[in-house]
Amino acid sequence: MSVAYIAQTAGGGGLSVLWPLLLLGALMYFLIIRPQRKRTRKQQALSAALEVGDQVRTIGGLMGVIVGLGDDWVTLGIEEGRIRVLRSAVASRMNADSS
C-alpha cells in the first residue's frame, strides 16, 4: 500500500498528511532557529562595536580592558599583562554606560 492510497482511503486527502510536518517545521523555527539567529546578530553587533578602553568579559571568564584592536582579535589588558583573544570570544561589555 502506498501513502497516496492510504491518504485517499482515509478520506482526508493527501494534504492532511502534511499538516503535522508543517506544524513541526513552524515549531522548530520559532523555538530553535529564530532565537539562535537573534543571538548571532547580537554577538556580531557587539563584536563590531568594540572600542579601545571598553571593559569586557570573555566567554572564558577573563575580564580586562581593550588596549588594542585587530580585524578578528582584541588585545586585553589584564592585571598581569596583556592577552590576545578573538573578537568572537568577547561575551559582554562591562562598561557602566552600556546596556
Side-chain angles (χ1 to χ4, degrees), residues 26-39:
L27 186 67
M28 284 183 58
Y29 175 77
F30 284 107
L31 292 180
I32 299 172
I33 298 168
R34 189 170 177 231
Q36 181 61 37
R37 284 184 181 172
K38 196 174 186 180
R39 281 190 295 270

Side-chain angles (χ1 to χ4, degrees), residues 43-96:
Q43 176 63 29
Q44 288 172 345
L46 172 68
S47 180
L50 293 176
E51 298 175 354
V52 173
D54 286 345
Q55 294 179 351
V56 295
R57 181 181 54 88
T58 67
I59 57 174
L62 291 173
M63 291 191 283
V65 177
I66 296 177
V67 294
L69 290 170
D71 289 338
D72 60 348
W73 54 268
V74 296
T75 302
L76 295 180
I78 56 176
E79 205 170 301
E80 297 294 322
R82 294 180 179 190
I83 188 169
R84 217 165 97 171
V85 297
L86 292 173
R87 278 184 182 253
S88 60
V90 175
S92 65
R93 195 182 290 168
M94 305 299 287
N95 293 358

Side-chain angles (χ1 to χ4, degrees), residues 5-42:
Y5 176 75
I6 293 170
Q8 286 175 352
T9 58
L15 194 57
S16 66
V17 175
L18 293 178
W19 282 113
L21 293 176
L22 293 173
L23 289 174
L24 182 64
L27 186 67
M28 284 183 58
Y29 175 77
F30 284 107
L31 292 180
I32 299 172
I33 298 168
R34 189 170 177 231
Q36 181 61 37
R37 284 184 181 172
K38 196 174 186 180
R39 281 190 295 270
T40 301
R41 275 189 245 120
K42 186 177 177 183

